[in-house]
Amino acid sequence: MPVAASAIYFLNLRGDVLINRLYRDDVGGNMVDAFRVHIMQTKELGTCPVRHIGGCSFFYMRISNVYIVIVVSSNANVACAFKFVVEAVALFKSYFGGAFDEDAIRNNFVLIYELLDEIMDFGYPQNLSPEILKLYITQEGVRSPFSSKPTDKPVPNATLQVTGAVGWRREGLVYKKNEVFLDIVESVNLLMSSKGSVLRCDVTGKILMKCFLSGMPDLKLGLNDKIGLEKESQIKSRPTKSGKTIELDDVTFHQCVNLTRFNSEKTVSFVPPDGEFELMKYRITEGVNLPFRVLPTIKELGRTRMEVNVKVKSVFGAKMFALGVVIKIPVPKQTAKTSFQVTSGRAKYNAAIDCLVWKIRKFPGQTEPTMSAEVELISTMAEKKSWTRPPIQMEFQVPMFTASGLRVRFLKVWEKSGYNTVEWVRYITKAGSYEIRC
């Protein structure tokens, strides 16, 4: 596995080293001078966050008035290095009361050195969870006078939290009302021909959760995915109920999910973190339900006129509706004047992006609004070049609709005290790269 860092430096805007830590001996202690001379003094800080100088790679990021620079001499995991910086800054902020700047670093030298020793070992990131580290690094940082007061509560069973399997949730949580919010958010990526045939289509989705549950609850989530339903029918020795099933591709889970139970039972079982988190991500490539179909007709009438007709059909149910629908129809740069007729919403010409922009605030299902436009072009003496038509682009958001057909079959919450919970489930489909050739 490639390392994430051989050394890390914290510099102010003048290039002075505030604090540094060497994790490996494959880089020299003066490598920061190369960063100062070849990058900071040449005003190239804003061009690229990754630079290779003198056999070493420099990854840097500016946070407030501090530059955080990671140096490596061998093959490195760049994404892991930047993720480490982001998580480390969040950790420092939790100790400093929300402030991370030059003054906060100068006031907390000892604490920062102690944290740097814990969160990385020989160039490999370790546990960066503030909740866990605060269990055994109990020193408080010097807080800014403008930061909020600490609200940390004592956490019981510290040994289990540090070495056990539930490091993402502390014990002793109590809520008056126990609630679970689950959002299935999907983005539709589409490339459609002008005649309505689908050239490329897929859906990327994620399941977001927000949990306000007391104690240490065990949750079980059931979806209408094909593998899960087939496994459930085998366990219960009865045929699968009729209904649409989907095949999930490229599934990734939050660390709280019990992968052993998922491999054996194909159900998503987990002890959730407190608050908001992303439970899983997935992708769908087959059986996608497109929320909209767009049929454009663009005619070039000579050198100075164009006719544009666009029909948009909403394919989802009549009781549902889409919000914030925007259709962008490209036109040539030499557009001089436009006139519109729309059956719903408003349309105008946006010269900054060379597009006719048609906006519909609320788009009901099973409807077919149309837009007709006449475009007048500036006549030029130069030889006319053929206009390469960019695709039409769409933006939208459809509540309570999933393009993949994914549905929550059940969400069960079990806790030894047996309290009642309220579960909320919401579905949202958005436009990713939704393009139609014209």
Side-chain angles (χ1 to χ4, degrees), residues 103-296:
D103 293 335
I105 293 176
R106 292 186 183 278
N107 293 333
N108 294 276
F109 276 131
V110 176
L111 176 59
I112 293 176
Y113 272 119
E114 189 173 358
L115 290 172
L116 289 176
D117 287 337
E118 292 292 339
I119 61 180
M120 182 167 281
D121 183 20
F122 199 60
Y124 298 98
Q126 306 298 308
N127 195 335
L128 286 96
S129 171
E131 292 79 10
I132 303 303
L133 290 168
K134 287 182 179 180
L135 298 175
Y136 54 96
I137 300 181
T138 57
Q139 177 182 347
E140 292 188 2
V142 178
R143 294 174 174 266
S144 167
F146 303 102
S147 63
S148 58
K149 294 182 179 180
T151 57
D152 297 335
K153 299 178 181 179
V155 181
N157 201 355
T159 304
L160 176 62
Q161 289 281 341
V162 176
T163 62
V166 193
W168 52 87
R169 182 182 181 90
R170 62 185 178 88
E171 293 184 345
L173 292 171
V174 178
Y175 289 98
K176 291 184 179 179
K177 187 176 182 180
N178 294 283
E179 294 180 295
V180 179
F181 299 86
L182 186 148
D183 287 345
I184 295 182
V185 182
E186 294 187 342
S187 296
V188 186
N189 303 305
L190 169 74
L191 180 60
M192 181 182 290
S193 71
S194 58
K195 296 181 180 180
S197 60
V198 176
L199 304 177
R200 185 183 70 247
C201 185
D202 68 88
V203 175
T204 57
K206 54 187 176 181
I207 298 181
L208 305 176
M209 296 195 69
K210 187 181 290 185
C211 297
F212 303 105
L213 300 172
S214 305
M216 297 290 285
D218 190 4
L219 276 65
K220 182 180 289 188
L221 174 66
L223 305 170
N224 62 330
D225 63 296
K226 183 177 181 181
I227 298 177
L229 288 173
E230 290 178 351
K231 188 68 177 181
E232 182 178 325
S233 64
Q234 292 176 5
I235 294 175
K236 295 183 179 180
S237 300
R238 59 189 183 192
T240 305
K241 294 182 180 180
S242 60
K244 181 177 180 180
T245 60
I246 62 173
E247 294 188 22
L248 300 178
D249 302 323
D250 304 332
V251 180
T252 58
F253 292 108
H254 187 274
Q255 62 173 336
C256 67
V257 175
N258 189 327
L259 296 179
T260 303
R261 293 181 64 178
F262 178 77
N263 291 330
S264 60
E265 303 175 13
K266 299 303 178 184
T267 58
V268 183
S269 303
F270 57 99
V271 177
D274 186 44
E276 189 173 354
F277 66 100
E278 183 180 279
L279 178 65
M280 62 179 283
K281 293 189 294 186
Y282 60 89
R283 191 167 66 93
I284 300 290
T285 55
E286 297 181 358
V288 177
N289 302 315
L290 296 177
F292 293 99
R293 288 194 174 272
V294 181
L295 298 175

Side-chain angles (χ1 to χ4, degrees), residues 35 44-51 58-61 70 78 82:
F35 176 81
E44 295 185 4
L45 284 170
T47 57
C48 179
V50 180
R51 295 292 300 274
F58 295 81
F59 316 139
Y60 60 92
M61 180 183 297
I70 285 181
V78 181
F82 282 116

